[in-house]
Every structure is written in C-alpha cells, then in structure tokens.
Amino acid sequence: MTTHHDVCAYRRDREWWQDAVVYQVYPRSFADSTGDGIGDLPGILDRLDYLVDLGIDALWISPFYTSPLRDGGYDVADYRDVDERLGTLADIDRLIAACHERGLRIIMDIVPNHTSSDHRWWREVLTSEPGSPAWSRYMIRPGREESANEPPSNWRSVFHGPGWSRLILDDGTTTDYWYLHLFDSTQPDLDWSNPEVRSEFRDILRFWFDRGVDGFRIDVAHGLVKDPDPPDMDYDSMVETDILGVAPDAPYWDQDGVHDIWREWRVVADSYDPPRILCGEAWAPTPERLARYQRPDELHTSFNFDYLAAGWDYERMRESIDATVANHANVGAPPTWVLSNHDVIRHATRFGPTEDGSPVTKPTVVDDERGRRRALAATMFLLGLPGSAYLYQGEELGLPEVFDLPDDARQDPVWFRSKGTDTGRDGCRVPLPWKANEPSYGFSPQGRSWLPQPDVWRDFAVDQQQDDDASPLALYRRALAQRRSEPALGQGPMEWMDGAPEGALAMRRFTAEPGHPSLAIVINMTEATIHLPSSWGTDVVLASEGDIATLSDDASSHLVMGPETAVWLRR
Ligand code: TEU
C-alpha cells in the first residue's frame, strides 16, 4: 500500500529548523581545554571546524550553567552563568559568535522542571517558613500519617527510589513537609502554578536570546505541571512502556497544563528577529500527544522518542514513521528523528543482536559489528526522512556503549539511587576520542578524562577515520552533504514504495516542484541479500557500509542489497 504523506504543506516557506541536522554536544565529554579532564566551552570552540566539516546545521549544547554537576549539569544553580569548570560567559559569547560566523546555529539546553538544591531559591527555602513565598516556588506538600512521617503520595523518582524527601531546614528542623524530586533529591521540582516561576523563566530565555542564542532544547517539557494534590498511583497495574518508563499515565507527565507554558514561551521566542526556536524533550505517551507540543503557537519541534524506542524493528519503525508524519502534518509541524542522546544506550550497541533477541538494556552478548552496521543503515534511513534530524556526539564515529566502566568511576545519580542495580547512563557519556596515540585520545591536554576511556577508543578516534572513505565518519559526512544538496529531502512529501522486497522499508522522497529527481530511500532490515525491482534503477547516491551491488543481465539491471544496509537511489 502506498501511503502518501503530504508533509510539504509547511515547507513552502522553509525555516532552517524545519529540516536542520542538529548535533548534540554533551559538553563534559566533548573536548577539554584546561586539562582538568572535564570538557568545556573552549574545547568546543577549538573543534568547531570539525563540526562544520561534518556538515551539521546547528549545535545543541547540553547544560553548562553553574551547577554541582550531580546530574551532569541538569541540576542548575544559576541559570545566568557558566560553571567555572565548563567556561565563562565570555566563552559562550565567543562560541555563539564563532558559530554564527560559520553559518551554524547554536541551541542551548534549559532545565525548567527543577533547580539544583544549590540554587538560591532552594537555599531560601531552607531558611523560610511553611507558606512563605520561598516555599511556594517548589512542590512542597505536607506529609501524611502520624507526625507527617509518610510522604504526600507514593510517587517514584525516574532515577529509582521515592519521589519525595522530607524537608529539613538549615537549622536542622525536620518539618512536617516533603518536597518533590522526580529525579535526584538534589533536583527539587519547581511549582509551575506559581506566576513568579513562570516570569523568572521568561526572563532567563530573554537573557540568553539577547546574547544571540538561536533557541532552546527544553528539558522534561512533558513534566512541568503536576496534579496539585498528588494522588497515589497504582504503579503495579501500569504496563511498562519504552516511553515514560512505568508511569505512562502519571499525574505528573504530559498534563494538559504544560501547553499554556509553551504558548507563553513561544510569544517570547517570536518576539525576536529572527524568531528563536524551541525544541521540547517531551516524552509523550503517543505520537498524537507528542504532536500537541508542536501546535503553531507552541514549540517548533520535539524529540521523537517513539521512533527512538522502535529500535531495529521493521513493523515498529514503519508504524512510528506513519504515526509521526501524519500527526505532525495535522498540526503543520516538521517531524524530528533521533536515535541516540546522552540518556540512552548508543544505537550502535542498542541495535546489536542479542542471544535471545531481547532488547539491549545491559551488558548482553551483542555482535558489535552488526550493531554498528545496523546503526549506520538506520541513520542513513533517518536522514532521508522528512523533517529535522538530531545526532548525538560520537555517533558519527560509530562509538559503542561502554558497559564495563569501573563502578567507582560511575557518576550518574541513577547508579547511586538504584544502589548499583542500574548502571545508568555514563556508558553513553564517555569522553570522545580525537587522536589515537595521545593521552585520553586527545580529549584533554593533560591526558585526563572524567570517565575512563576504553582501549578500543583508539580505533574509533577521529584521526583514524578522517582520511578513511570507508569509515563511519566519512559516511556521515557524505550523507549530510548529500542531504543538504537534495531538494527532495526536507522539502517534500514522502510515500512508501510498492514492490519493496520483504523486510525492506522503501520510501520515495520528491519535491512538489517539477524538475527535481526523486530519491528512493531503502533499508534492508533482514539478514539476507535482497534484490530491488529493476524499475527502481541503480543510480546509487549514498550507501551505508556493507554489500551493495548492481546485477545486470541482457535485459536489465537491478540493485542487490546486502544484509542490514541502506541506500539512497536517484530516480
Ligand atoms: O531527561 C529526563 C527525562 O525526561 C527522561 O528521563 C524521561 O523522563 C524518562 O527517561 C522516562 O522514562 C532529562 C535529561 O535528558 C536527563 O539527562 C536528566 O537527567 C533529566 O532530564 C533531569 O533533568
């Protein structure tokens, strides 16, 4: 069946963010300039031309605000300053200017759901009384039972353990109150029903927009509004989903009230010339609920975790693409596509086959080579989809997840809160390898790195790939260059192609305007060689690693695709 998605409706007056390739920099792990083993803003500036050569359109930099770095910077102590270990305000000003000089946009990360417990607002709580303005900025509620010894509800933290902690003041007083922290106990949740909280964050947006930042990725965009009288939840009856963990219907995820906040923020973003953009990290339970975040007066884009969660699964990938494209077209917004970030197992490992076919969630027997081949094929297919694409630092090198970090090196609060039962996310945050034969593989001038790097990093280092046409880095560079040059990509509708061999997804991309050749984007998700219809031609524009060949006989020629490969065919 051919499904024709007319996604070009919003493309006639294309905006950069509608089909941009955005590269996520996790600053602690990108490049260190000072030698303290922690990546920093000058380290990004030193390697900006590497990103220009890669062919991206924009950087999204994870938080670098003043922070105790308990959660890698997603615990902010001062939203208007830079943590001294990561740089200075002058450094970010230099980086913004350098990006713009190179035609790159720069997107920052903002964390409105909670502050760090080091934030002045929280420090004020610890020296204030119940009912004070200080307390009203946070989700602080009275305990239950005798002496308030029970939390206001049974809500759980995403990072394991309870979602509430007893409020103990600076003078040691144990209050009859508890505070909510959906993440770590050092990340108290703000109360977004408080006008002062809303006003402060609009000012924070303006502070950075005035410095030239082109937009924000919004952390936990689905979580800011909670039921004001927290009810208990029946977690046991909840079906665990890939999205939102075990709490798909939690009274603290994806509440309708969050959309009022995004409408307020959109007004601020639109008040700039050029308008600034807002991208939501919204773990919504369905593509339809996700699309609500992209209504014309709300966010410009949101991460599509439904597609990320689909994994290397033909049916789920196709369903997710159909649902995403259709629901986004309904609200006139471009879809986004992402396979890796700083919170999930790198897809070069996550797509690896396991002994029993179960998803890769912890150190299991995976075939790294097949995982990497599948990941490259999946990315080549992703880059052919309509909308914008998000890449995570190091995926262009084919980096695998590092499962065997020494336990004493781990820093993710998930590891500590789970009492060592959940190894957390450090495995996808290991500092990047730049030079195979230098200490810390060129990450830091003193050879230090805040997480130990595995010996195999030598083989993945940038200097081992940059002159190798068969490397993942070369493939990403070719794909991004081709994507930029193809008017059919990002500008036009997509339709599934009839006649695709079993186990292959094949979509046709074309422009609404005549005269531009269309492209067939094909991925072979099977472990077998497949033969494409001769009518599809053999003009290969791009091919992932693996066997792709043209088979000819007297009458015609057709393309043969090896297992787990992807191609772009000009038609
Ligand atoms: O991630 C939080 C988040 O939205 C996910 O953890 C999601 O809620 C959960 O996985 C659903 O099962 C953001 C940042 O990306 C992450 O690095 C931070 O640790 C977290 O927020 C807290 O700021």
Side-chain angles (χ1 to χ4, degrees), residues 71 74 114 158-159 183 187 217 219-220 222 244-245 253 281 283 342-343 425 429:
D71 185 21
Y74 283 93
H114 47 267
V158 173
F159 291 169
F183 298 96
Q187 295 170 289
R217 174 264 192 192
D219 192 58
V220 195
H222 57 302
L244 294 181
W253 290 146
E281 185 215 23
W283 292 75
H342 64 292
D343 286 333
R425 304 161 294 176
R429 301 173 175 181

Side-chain angles (χ1 to χ4, degrees), residues 30-49:
F30 187 75
D32 170 25
S33 70
T34 62
D36 65 359
I38 299 174
D40 48 45
L41 296 177
I44 303 169
L45 182 60
D46 292 345
R47 289 168 176 76
L48 206 49
D49 289 331

Side-chain angles (χ1 to χ4, degrees), residues 297-543:
D297 59 346
E298 294 190 50
L299 307 182
H300 298 76
T301 66
S302 283
F303 293 119
N304 177 4
F305 293 117
D306 184 71
Y307 183 75
L308 183 150
W312 186 261
D313 180 309
Y314 173 92
E315 291 299 339
R316 288 195 59 185
M317 269 176 68
R318 173 157 181 157
E319 286 163 10
S320 178
I321 292 167
D322 278 334
T324 298
V325 173
N327 281 296
H328 279 67
N330 286 344
V331 294
T336 66
W337 311 97
V338 62
L339 289 172
S340 281
N341 63 31
H342 64 292
D343 286 333
V344 298
I345 292 173
R346 286 184 174 273
H347 69 288
T349 298
R350 199 173 76 240
F351 283 6
T354 52
E355 289 292 316
D356 58 3
S358 60
V360 173
T361 54
K362 50 188 178 300
T364 49
V365 178
V366 298
D367 174 335
D368 282 347
E369 260 324 295
R370 279 186 62 198
R372 189 161 27 258
R373 186 171 72 239
R374 287 176 167 185
L376 289 174
T379 300
M380 294 311 111
F381 192 78
L382 174 153
L383 290 171
L385 285 163
S388 61
Y390 283 76
L391 307 177
Y392 175 52
Q393 69 178 41
E395 72 168 82
E396 77 277 10
L397 302 175
L399 291 185
E401 185 79 2
V402 180
F403 283 121
D404 57 354
L405 288 167
D407 288 347
D408 61 5
R410 294 185 187 283
Q411 296 194 21
D412 188 344
V414 169
W415 165 252
F416 299 105
R417 289 184 61 88
S418 69
K419 297 179 173 47
T421 59
D422 181 344
T423 49
R425 304 161 294 176
D426 290 316
C428 66
R429 301 173 175 181
V430 174
L432 299 189
W434 296 92
K435 296 182 176 172
N437 300 309
E438 291 201 6
S440 74
Y441 305 110
F443 166 72
S444 172
Q446 307 300 328
R448 296 167 61 188
S449 66
W450 68 278
L451 280 175
Q453 300 159 300
D455 294 346
V456 74
W457 249 218
R458 171 177 289 103
D459 305 334
F460 290 98
V462 170
D463 68 354
Q464 300 300 297
Q465 299 197 34
Q466 60 191 6
D467 301 320
D468 174 1
D469 274 352
S471 68
L473 178 58
L475 177 59
Y476 268 73
R477 284 174 171 164
R478 283 197 298 275
L480 295 185
Q482 198 67 42
R483 183 179 189 276
R484 181 188 301 274
S485 69
E486 292 288 350
L489 295 180
Q491 290 282 343
M494 66 158 281
E495 65 183 17
W496 296 115
M497 296 170 67
D498 291 333
E502 186 175 348
L505 281 175
M507 63 178 157
R508 191 167 77 91
R509 300 297 317 282
F510 50 98
T511 64
E513 296 75 28
H516 289 136
S518 67
L519 282 177
I521 313 286
V522 189
I523 184 170
N524 174 14
M525 300 192 71
T526 73
E527 296 174 46
T529 294
I530 62 172
H531 295 248
L532 301 187
S534 55
S535 61
W536 291 12
T538 59
D539 183 359
V540 175
V541 169
L542 186 78

Side-chain angles (χ1 to χ4, degrees), residues 50-312:
Y50 165 79
L51 296 177
V52 172
D53 292 345
L54 181 58
I56 64 169
D57 300 300
L59 276 67
W60 149 35
I61 308 179
S62 284
F64 47 80
Y65 307 98
T66 307
S67 164
L69 297 183
R70 287 285 299 259
D71 185 21
Y74 283 93
D75 46 329
V76 180
D78 183 346
Y79 290 88
R80 294 179 178 83
D81 204 352
V82 178
D83 190 89
E84 58 186 12
R85 290 161 289 182
L86 303 177
T88 64
L89 282 172
D91 289 329
I92 186 61
D93 289 342
R94 276 190 284 272
L95 186 56
I96 292 168
C99 284
H100 291 165
E101 284 160 14
R102 291 163 174 80
L104 295 176
R105 264 76 176 207
I106 183 165
I107 296 171
M108 280 180 60
D109 208 320
I110 191 161
V111 187
N113 180 68
H114 47 267
T115 69
S116 162
S117 48
D118 285 3
H119 190 280
R120 59 187 170 81
W121 273 5
W122 187 253
R123 306 317 304 167
E124 197 179 327
V125 164
L126 301 182
T127 54
S128 301
E129 298 296 320
S132 59
W135 280 37
S136 67
R137 296 180 187 126
Y138 288 90
M139 288 297 289
I140 299 173
R141 295 291 186 277
R144 295 184 293 183
E145 306 302 334
E146 183 65 29
S147 307
N149 282 333
E150 288 300 314
S153 72
N154 68 344
W155 294 1
R156 296 175 184 169
S157 160
V158 173
F159 291 169
H160 302 275
W164 300 88
S165 289
R166 192 78 178 255
L167 183 52
I168 299 172
L169 303 182
D170 273 352
D171 63 9
T173 305
T174 298
T175 71
D176 287 347
Y177 292 82
W178 298 63
Y179 69 93
L180 178 67
H181 49 80
L182 290 177
F183 298 96
D184 189 56
S185 57
T186 62
Q187 295 170 289
D189 278 56
L190 287 164
D191 185 337
W192 274 84
S193 69
N194 184 325
E196 184 189 1
V197 171
R198 294 189 179 214
S199 170
E200 166 68 350
F201 275 86
R202 290 196 298 272
D203 286 352
I204 292 166
L205 294 178
R206 292 189 188 96
F207 176 86
W208 292 103
F209 285 157
D210 290 347
R211 297 185 95 94
V213 167
D214 297 290
F216 278 99
R217 174 264 192 192
I218 303 166
D219 192 58
V220 195
H222 57 302
L224 271 58
V225 170
K226 289 89 174 175
D227 187 321
D229 299 314
D232 278 343
M233 288 174 52
D234 180 6
Y235 286 100
D236 297 338
S237 69
M238 288 183 172
V239 175
E240 177 145 356
T241 65
D242 297 306
I243 304 289
L244 294 181
V246 293
D249 303 317
Y252 46 80
W253 290 146
D254 193 37
Q255 302 297 290
D256 290 340
V258 297
H259 298 289
D260 294 332
I261 301 166
W262 308 136
R263 292 187 188 104
E264 285 178 10
W265 286 30
R266 182 61 181 262
V267 170
V268 176
D270 286 348
S271 68
Y272 282 81
D273 183 18
R276 305 304 203 249
I277 75 115
L278 301 170
C279 169
E281 185 215 23
W283 292 75
T286 66
E288 188 280 325
R289 297 278 310 179
L290 177 70
R292 297 185 185 190
Y293 290 78
Q294 280 85 251
R295 287 176 287 205
D297 59 346
E298 294 190 50
L299 307 182
H300 298 76
T301 66
S302 283
F303 293 119
N304 177 4
F305 293 117
D306 184 71
Y307 183 75
L308 183 150
W312 186 261

